[in-house]
């Protein structure tokens, strides 16, 4: 057996963005570049950068498009491809090189995939896929951002799920991540809520479930206000509400105390619910937290830069000169109420000053596309050079999300419904159900993964309609199926716990020759590349699609590559292959925010 060794091979790390010890694909790319550089006077570094993954494993693993590296040279690219191909030596890393038009295709040697990559994955464990590309830069990610006392609609759900994923991803890539929840925690609705609480409030209910109780009150008192207006033409309650909010803005002690209580208790409850989704926040910020004088300063700056115009008594910023579609932004209405945009500008500036972020990501529905474009443009016009580091990660809408009892109001309702529906599905399979130690806990995790996978499965910009039956199915590409794939791998490890694969150097991988297993390993080698792509596109669907490919290939392997009943050497090699596969599924699910279950 030829002893390959990732640790010794990296003689020089060609590019600072190449991590051959962490990413087998980087190692192969460096080797290819080394070979190819012998045929042309191009820096290996340049060649490495131009090597792409193939879209389809039928076309090999990696590809060099000659038009890309020989773009300035006048030669017959097809003939060159053919000539190089014949001269590139096959070795323990590259088993086949073929020309296809002006492209050169490379196949990774299975010897490398088994002898090097399997041990590499198993020794990196939970860190397989992580690459230190972020270099300690800071990313501030704003996501979820519900309004206190208002329903947690599907848009918040998507923002929560996508934002949670992005936070994990950035962290895995060596960024410092500031997870921020920017609550809707200021405004007239707090006056209404306070008046409602005086009338309908119940301390016990508030402590038990502040979010539901406050919402209940909000709905009731709004109805009262409507009735008063209908019957008397004006509303005493509404006047009191306005007064309360004025008191709040003036910092009046009692008002602030009540508001703080609502806000604090709501945050406590949110924290509990987010925990079920493996999400925590570094900062619960919100509209209330943007300092008044910071907003005033922005306003003065806008005036100083002559950006504000008067339009029938309202104040506007005309952005059409920057780009026609950006239109004119109203910042103060003729009645003097100021709109959100100035506050958002001030918030962005405060965050830059506080967190010194290198990138700030807003995970906000695509209905806000225009608003965010306007926000970014105003910051640019104010000469903040960091405007280029702002990113809007947008997403489409969810239709028809409801529970059996009616409409969904809060995140909690969605998660409870997912759990209950999953319990129903599970209890239909009696004998399996009886074997599960903690069915409620397992149902909760699987139900949540069903909701999450459905959400992250398509391109985020697309709308989708919510369908409990489809997402809870164990067939097709669903969350439960992915959990099943993981737990099945775990049970193979458990059933064969007598086989010790701790000493990986003792495993004879030449015993695995099946093309199904080679395909599986070729897929596993791509995991770090999949994440790399995601951090460019901010598309969770890239990870989801990849994990299903792995799960399907594992399932294909089961039919042929058994562990039980094999001689010990074969069993060991196969078990290591399955352990590596489970590790990749585990890592991928975890980064999505899903807790993989071991038994179901
Ligand atoms: C190399 O790849 C080509 C094209 O896919 C294939 O026809 C050929 O059989 C392969 N050769 C080896 C030795 O695997
Ligand atoms: C609200 O929370 C803050 C920080 O957690 C704490 O300092 C404050 O005492 C709390 N206030 C109330 C009224 O619970
Ligand atoms: C307007 O901006 C200029 C240049 O930054 C500054 O010198 C001046 O003090 C500003 N004026 C006001 C009123 O803020
Ligand atoms: C999503 O639905 C909204 C509202 O129905 C529609 O305006 C939008 O074009 C849809 N988006 C896509 C990508 O289909
Ligand atoms: C497995 O093997 C390793 C090293 O070969 C040894 O340290 C460990 O104790 C073994 N584990 C079991 C459960 O036998
Ligand atoms: C590994 O397996 C191959 C294929 O069966 C066999 O030829 C070789 O001798 C084995 N190597 C060791 C070190 O056992």
């Amino acid at each position: 057996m030829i002893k390959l060794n990732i640790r010794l091979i990296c003689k020089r790390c060609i590019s600072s963005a190449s991590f051959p010890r962490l990413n087998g694909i980087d190692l192969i790319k460096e080797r290819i570049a080394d070979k190819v550089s012998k045929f042309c006077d191009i820096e290996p570094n340049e060649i490495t950068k131009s090597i792409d993954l193939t879209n389809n494993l039928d076309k090999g693993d990696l590809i060099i498009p000659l038009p890309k590296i020989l773009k300035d040279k006048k030669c017959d690219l097809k003939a060159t491809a053919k000539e190089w191909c014949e001269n590139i030596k096959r070795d323990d890393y590259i088993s086949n090189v073929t020309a296809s038009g002006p492209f050169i295709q490379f196949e990774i040697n299975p010897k490398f995939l088994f002898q090097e990559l399997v041990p590499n994955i198993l020794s990196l464990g939970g860190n397989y896929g992580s690459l230190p590309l972020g270099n300690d830069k800071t990313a501030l990610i704003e996501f979820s951002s519900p309004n206190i006392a208002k329903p947690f609609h599907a848009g918040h759900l998507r923002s929560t799920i996508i934002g949670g994923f992005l936070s994990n991803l950035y962290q895995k890539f060596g960024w410092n991540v500031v997870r921020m929840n920017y609550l809707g925690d200021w405004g007239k609705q707090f006056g209404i809520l306070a008046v409602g609480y005086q009338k309908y409030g119940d301390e016990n209910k508030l402590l038990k479930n502040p979010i539901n109780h406050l919402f209940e009150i909000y709905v009731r008192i709004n109805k009262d206000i409507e009735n008063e207006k209908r019957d008397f033409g004006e509303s005493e309650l509404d006047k009191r509400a306005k007064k309360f909010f004025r008191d709040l803005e003036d910092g009046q002690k009692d008002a602030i105390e009540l508001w703080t209580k609502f806000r604090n208790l709501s945050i406590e409850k949110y924290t509990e619910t987010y925990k079920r989704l493996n999400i925590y926040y570094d900062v619960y910020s919100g509209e209330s937290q943007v300092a008044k004088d910071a907003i005033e300063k922005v306003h003065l700056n806008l005036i100083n830069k002559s950006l504000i115009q008067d339009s029938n008594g309202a104040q506007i910023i005309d952005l059409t000169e920057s780009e026609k579609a950006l239109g004119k932004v109203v910042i103060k209405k003729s009645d003097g109420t100021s709109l959100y945009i100035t506050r958002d500008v001030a918030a962005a500036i405060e965050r830059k000053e506080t967190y010194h972020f290198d990138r700030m990501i807003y995970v906000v529905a695509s209905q806000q596309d225009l608003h965010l474009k306007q926000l970014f443009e105003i910051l640019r016009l104010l000469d903040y050079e960091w405007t280029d580091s702002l990113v809007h990660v947008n997403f489409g809408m969810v239709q028809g999300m409801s529970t059996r009892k009616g409409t969904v109001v809060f995140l909690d309702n969605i998660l409870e419904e997912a759990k209950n529906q999953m319990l129903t599905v599970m209890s239909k399979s009696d004998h399996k159900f009886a074997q599960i130690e903690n069915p409620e806990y397992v149902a909760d995790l699987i139900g949540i993964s069903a909701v999450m996978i459905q959400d992250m499965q398509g391109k985020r910009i697309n709308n989708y309609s919510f369908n409990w039956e489809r997402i809870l199915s164990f067939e097709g590409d669903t969350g439960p199926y992915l959990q099943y794939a993981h737990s099945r791998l775990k049970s193979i490890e458990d059933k064969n716990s007598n086989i010790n694969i701790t000493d990986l150097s003792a495993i004879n991988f030449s015993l695995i020759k099946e093309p199904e297993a080679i395909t599986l390993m070729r897929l596993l080698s791509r995991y770090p590349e999949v994440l790399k792509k995601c951090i460019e596109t901010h598309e969770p669907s890239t990870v989801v699609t990849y994990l299903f490919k792995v799960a399907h290939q594992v399932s294909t392997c089961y039919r042929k590559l058994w562990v039980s009943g094999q001689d010990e050497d074969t069993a060991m090699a196969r078990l290591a292959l399955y352990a590596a596969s489970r590790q990749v599924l585990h890592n991928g699910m975890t980064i999505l925010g899903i807790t993989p279950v071991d038994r179901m």
Side-chain angles (χ1 to χ4, degrees):
M1 177 161 51
I2 298 168
K3 191 67 202 129
L4 306 172
N5 195 331
I6 282 184
R7 284 153 294 276
L8 299 180
I9 280 161
C10 176
K11 288 182 297 251
R12 65 200 154 79
C13 289
I14 290 175
S15 130
S16 59
S18 182
F19 302 98
R21 292 175 196 203
L22 303 174
N23 180 1
I25 296 287
D26 276 345
L27 184 143
I28 300 288
K29 280 187 184 174
E30 289 190 4
R31 299 202 45 105
I32 291 173
D34 254 354
K35 288 170 193 283
V36 170
S37 66
K38 298 203 170 77
F39 302 103
C40 56
D41 56 354
I42 300 170
E43 278 292 302
N45 198 357
E46 286 304 306
I47 300 171
T48 309
K49 276 195 242 161
S50 71
I51 304 176
D52 294 324
L53 289 177
T54 55
N55 289 328
N56 184 329
L57 291 181
D58 292 343
K59 295 193 163 41
D61 295 286
L62 293 157
I63 205 161
I64 296 188
L66 288 193
K68 207 156 140 192
I69 62 166
L70 297 177
K71 51 183 178 288
D72 302 326
K73 305 213 166 44
K74 286 195 173 55
C75 62
D76 180 343
L77 293 178
K78 282 188 192 174
T80 310
K82 222 165 163 192
E83 191 195 317
W84 286 10
C85 231
E86 276 154 21
N87 290 309
I88 293 171
K89 285 211 174 58
R90 282 63 168 164
D91 62 13
D92 288 335
Y93 299 86
I94 294 146
S95 55
N96 198 0
V97 187
T98 45
S100 164
F103 301 98
I104 306 181
Q105 294 171 4
F106 297 85
E107 275 173 38
I108 303 178
N109 197 329
K111 194 178 264 176
F112 168 76
L113 292 173
F114 289 110
Q115 295 183 18
E116 277 298 298
L117 199 62
V118 171
N120 186 239
I121 293 171
L122 291 174
S123 66
L124 287 170
N127 288 324
Y128 178 59
S130 307
L131 302 171
L133 283 163
N135 226 345
D136 265 344
K137 287 192 292 242
T138 297
L140 191 152
I141 306 182
E142 179 204 301
F143 63 107
S144 196
S145 307
N147 296 308
I148 290 176
K150 287 190 188 166
F152 188 100
H153 57 71
H156 296 129
L157 175 72
R158 296 208 74 185
S159 174
T160 309
I161 292 176
I162 297 168
F165 161 71
L166 292 177
S167 306
N168 296 337
L169 180 66
Y170 272 78
Q171 205 153 32
K172 284 278 176 204
F173 270 55
W175 289 71
N176 298 313
V177 177
V178 180
R179 294 159 158 90
M180 178 180 281
N181 200 329
Y182 187 66
L183 298 170
D185 62 355
W186 201 244
K188 217 186 96 192
Q189 83 255 28
F190 281 93
I192 296 174
L193 211 51
V195 174
Y197 190 71
Q198 282 156 8
K199 198 166 171 191
Y200 299 118
D202 176 331
E203 176 90 16
N204 282 332
K205 280 189 186 165
L206 184 71
L207 291 175
K208 201 158 159 249
N209 196 337
I211 294 171
N212 283 13
H213 187 51
L214 290 177
F215 179 59
E216 214 176 83
I217 290 173
Y218 190 68
V219 171
R220 282 177 82 177
I221 196 73
N222 264 305
K223 216 168 258 160
D224 291 351
I225 292 174
E226 255 172 56
N227 290 342
E228 282 190 348
K229 280 187 179 159
R230 193 194 52 215
D231 298 343
F232 309 114
E234 59 171 13
S235 163
E236 203 48 45
L237 289 168
D238 195 40
K239 277 185 196 157
R240 275 167 56 200
K242 280 186 180 134
K243 166 149 193 330
F244 183 92
F245 184 56
R246 262 199 315 277
D247 287 349
L248 202 52
E249 288 214 290
D250 294 342
Q252 200 261 331
K253 192 167 154 278
D254 291 344
I256 291 281
E257 226 162 64
L258 188 63
W259 170 84
T260 308
K261 189 167 169 181
F262 291 163
R263 186 178 191 269
N264 273 20
L265 290 171
S266 299
I267 290 177
E268 266 175 36
K269 180 70 187 165
Y270 278 129
T271 305
E272 225 174 81
T273 308
Y274 288 129
K275 206 168 154 206
R276 278 170 86 177
L277 297 172
N278 297 314
I279 287 170
Y280 68 88
Y281 284 93
D282 300 293
V283 198
Y284 277 92
S285 178
E287 289 156 5
S288 69
Q289 306 298 300
V290 187
K292 241 179 172 176
D293 51 350
I295 300 174
E296 198 42 45
K297 212 165 122 194
V298 167
H299 198 234
L300 288 177
N301 259 333
L302 289 168
I303 293 169
N304 192 359
K305 288 230 153 57
S306 308
L307 290 169
I308 293 186
Q309 298 171 12
D310 212 63
S311 169
N312 300 325
Q315 294 188 347
I316 63 157
I317 302 175
D318 186 354
L319 296 176
T320 53
E321 269 174 45
S322 306
E323 191 189 324
K324 193 134 189 285
L326 290 179
K328 294 173 179 171
V329 191
V330 181
I331 62 164
K332 222 172 217 168
K333 290 200 274 190
S334 49
D335 67 3
T337 35
S338 49
L339 298 173
Y340 281 102
I341 193 112
T342 320
R343 185 196 304 276
D344 287 350
V345 172
I349 297 166
E350 274 192 349
R351 290 177 196 178
K352 180 68 186 180
E353 284 165 1
T354 311
Y355 301 103
H356 310 287
F357 58 76
D358 299 283
R359 187 176 292 178
M360 173 156 66
I361 300 175
Y362 294 85
V363 188
V364 177
S366 52
Q367 282 127 304
Q368 302 287 322
D369 280 0
L370 180 62
H371 175 78
L372 281 151
K373 274 193 192 140
Q374 292 172 335
L375 170 64
F376 295 178
E377 184 58 21
I378 292 171
L379 284 161
R380 200 184 62 79
L381 292 172
L382 286 172
D383 288 329
Y384 289 105
E385 81 289 350
W386 42 268
T387 307
D388 289 341
S389 64
L390 306 179
V391 182
H392 177 200
V393 170
N394 59 0
F395 50 83
M397 313 209 306
V398 189
Q399 283 116 5
M401 190 171 67
S402 64
T403 64
R404 277 175 291 201
K405 285 192 198 132
T407 52
V408 168
V409 183
F410 295 110
L411 180 55
D412 237 12
N413 302 126
I414 303 164
L415 302 186
E416 276 310 296
E417 182 74 7
K419 177 170 108 181
N420 292 335
Q421 297 236 14
M422 197 63 233
L423 266 176
T424 312
V425 173
M426 281 164 62
S427 59
K428 283 187 187 140
S429 150
D430 292 336
H431 80 108
K432 265 198 179 165
F433 192 61
Q435 289 171 4
I436 299 172
E437 256 171 53
N438 190 345
E440 289 232 359
Y441 175 70
V442 172
D444 191 35
L445 294 181
I446 303 175
I448 287 170
S449 54
V451 172
M452 288 181 121
I453 287 294
Q454 149 159 287
D455 197 272
M456 295 194 270
Q457 202 154 30
K459 280 245 167 75
R460 58 185 158 73
I461 196 65
N462 292 332
N463 300 330
Y464 70 86
S465 50
F466 209 86
N467 179 338
W468 285 111
E469 204 172 312
R470 190 183 66 227
I471 71 172
L472 293 167
S473 165
F474 285 78
E475 278 151 35
D477 290 347
T478 63
Y481 172 76
L482 205 55
Q483 289 283 17
Y484 171 72
H486 179 269
S487 66
R488 194 167 170 198
L489 283 165
K490 182 74 171 85
S491 82
I492 290 182
E493 285 172 44
D494 291 346
K495 273 188 203 137
N496 295 286
S497 57
N498 59 318
I499 302 172
N500 189 341
I501 55 167
T502 312
D503 184 5
L504 292 162
S505 65
I507 296 178
N508 186 353
F509 284 107
S510 9
L511 292 163
I512 306 184
K513 293 206 163 56
E514 291 77 359
E516 292 84 355
I518 295 170
T519 302
L520 177 57
M521 278 314 301
R522 291 168 72 197
L523 278 174
L524 299 189
S525 75
R526 292 186 165 209
Y527 180 59
E529 296 291 317
V530 168
L531 296 187
K532 239 191 215 168
K533 179 144 187 231
C534 280
I535 210 156
E536 279 168 26
T537 61
H538 298 130
E539 282 291 354
S541 63
T542 309
V543 177
V544 175
T545 308
Y546 169 79
L547 292 180
F548 282 123
K549 267 194 202 156
V550 171
H552 292 309
Q553 193 58 33
V554 166
S555 157
T556 302
C557 285
Y558 284 145
R559 280 178 227 131
K560 251 185 147 173
L561 285 85
W562 292 36
V563 176
S564 58
Q566 307 301 307
D567 64 82
E568 199 187 339
D569 285 349
T570 306
M572 268 170 88
R574 291 179 178 181
L575 198 56
L577 170 71
Y578 288 133
S581 308
R582 186 177 75 82
Q583 186 69 62
V584 171
L585 281 185
H586 189 282
N587 293 3
M589 291 165 82
T590 308
I591 214 165
L592 290 172
I594 293 170
T595 307
V597 302
D598 288 348
R599 252 162 182 268
M600 61 187 271

